[in-house]
Structure formats: C-alpha cells, structure tokens
Amino acid sequence: KGGLYMELAKVTSKGQVIAKKKGSCYIIAAIGKRQYKCKVTVTELTSFALNKKALSIYAGKSYQLKIAYKPQKVKLSYTDVKWNSSNKSIASVNNKGYIRAYKKGTVYISAKAGKKIVKCKVTVKPAIVKVKSVKLSKTTLNLYTGECEYLKVNITPGNATNKKVVWSSSNKRVASVDEFGFVDGISAGTAYITAKVDGTTAKCKVIVKI
C-alpha cells in the first residue's frame, strides 16, 4: 500500500516488482492475516557494455550480442535491455540480442539499460555463395621433362564467394604445379595435379616422358 517506499519500487497484482529509484524497501504479500516479506534493494547500473563494438556478418546469418554490466550482483537479463536496429531492412535484433542479417549494408544495433545506451556497428556482407563444381581445362596432360603447360580452372557458379584455388601434386619429383596452375614436367613418371576450391576438387593426370 502507498507511502514513501512507492518511490523506490512498485509491485503489480501478479507479483512483478518494478524498480524505480535507488534504495531498499520491502515487498509485502498478505494472505488473510498472514504476511510475507521480501526485501528489495534497487541498485543503479554503473557500467554497461556489449561484447562487440563492431561486427561483420554475412547476409542470412545470425549472431547473439552478449551483455556485460556492473555491479554484477544486479541480475540484469536480456529482457531488461531494450534493443533496437537503425535499419531493420539490413539487420534486425530481437529481445535476446540475436541479430539477423538480411542484405548488404551497415547498421547500428543499440542496447539500452536504464539510462545507458551502447551501440554495435554491424556490417552485413553479401550472402555466401558455395562452389558447386570445379573443372580443369584438361583431365589428362602429356609432358616432356622440362616442358610446362597451364591448366585453366572453371568454377561454377561464377559468383561463388570463395574462388581461391589451392594447387597440389601427388608427386613433385615427377610434376610440380605453382599457385597459378602452371605444371612443370620434372622427371619421367605419372603424377596427379589437384585443384581445390572451397572444399571441391578437380584432378588432372600428368604423364611425363623424357
């Protein structure tokens, strides 16, 4: 019931306590002639931060921002924080700090606790396009020792995010390959040249003659 302590905290008919001002008071619940008390101490938030000040994320992906605060004895939950996005068409945030990226652009995610507001700059990159297939210009290559030939790589789809080719030879003493796909015949024998892109591979059988 009313009184001075209503300035510190108030309680709803469902028992939800709402802190209003720094200080201590008692929440009393009465059932018949019996009363039950709970001491409530309202503490001001002195420090509030997010685990990220800046974040890069691909479109279609999500990330949860984590909160840090002082004093730690204050049980601050995600629902006590008001979250907001400066541009919800680029990225949105829910009441638990989960960011969902939609399209390329930059957006600021803000979190408000009490009177304190902190922000995280979120840069959304285009969605990752996976490599579906890798093909080489030749599947079999005949070389003489000392001879060199270039293998061309065809990547599908053409707009794949990762197009970096990693080359390797099954036997460098027979045939070697550089970072550009140039194959050198070293000595007589057979070797396999492999081109690997984003986990997808293609091979070429190299037969070297003297």
Side-chain angles (χ1 to χ4, degrees), residues 16-36:
Q16 182 184 20
V17 179
I18 302 172
K20 298 175 67 178
K21 188 178 179 181
K22 184 178 180 181
S24 296
C25 64
Y26 284 91
I27 300 297
I28 302 171
I31 302 176
K33 294 182 179 181
R34 293 186 177 183
Q35 289 188 342
Y36 303 89

Side-chain angles (χ1 to χ4, degrees), residues 13-155:
S13 59
K14 293 182 179 180
Q16 182 184 20
V17 179
I18 302 172
K20 298 175 67 178
K21 188 178 179 181
K22 184 178 180 181
S24 296
C25 64
Y26 284 91
I27 300 297
I28 302 171
I31 302 176
K33 294 182 179 181
R34 293 186 177 183
Q35 289 188 342
Y36 303 89
K37 293 182 180 181
C38 173
K39 185 179 180 180
V40 175
T41 301
V42 181
T43 305
E44 289 183 0
L45 195 64
T46 58
S47 177
F48 176 63
L50 296 174
N51 64 318
K52 295 280 187 180
K53 290 184 178 180
L55 173 69
S56 291
I57 187 172
Y58 287 102
K61 298 295 182 178
S62 61
Y63 179 86
Q64 184 184 26
L65 288 171
K66 295 180 181 179
I67 53 177
Y69 51 89
K70 288 182 181 180
Q72 292 184 349
K73 64 181 179 181
V74 178
K75 293 183 179 180
L76 185 68
S77 67
Y78 282 97
T79 54
D80 295 320
V81 179
K82 292 183 179 179
W83 300 87
N84 188 48
S85 169
S86 62
N87 192 328
K88 294 180 176 63
S89 65
I90 295 175
S92 64
V93 62
N94 68 6
N95 61 2
K96 292 185 178 180
Y98 274 100
I99 299 170
R100 181 70 177 178
Y102 299 111
K103 65 179 182 180
K104 182 181 178 181
T106 301
V107 64
Y108 286 88
I109 300 298
S110 62
K112 182 180 179 181
K115 296 180 180 180
K116 299 183 182 295
I117 300 176
V118 290
K119 294 182 179 181
C120 174
K121 181 181 179 181
V122 178
T123 302
V124 181
K125 298 182 285 187
I128 297 175
V129 179
K130 289 286 187 180
V131 173
K132 291 184 178 179
S133 67
V134 177
K135 291 183 179 180
L136 294 175
S137 53
K138 290 187 177 182
T139 55
T140 303
L141 182 61
N142 292 290
L143 290 176
Y144 286 106
T145 54
E147 192 177 11
C148 176
E149 190 160 333
Y150 172 69
L151 287 176
K152 185 179 179 180
V153 183
N154 183 29
I155 301 170

Side-chain angles (χ1 to χ4, degrees), residues 180-200:
F180 303 106
F182 285 96
V183 181
D184 284 300
I186 308 298
S187 62
T190 301
Y192 288 89
I193 300 298
T194 302
K196 185 177 181 179
V197 185
D198 196 25
T200 303

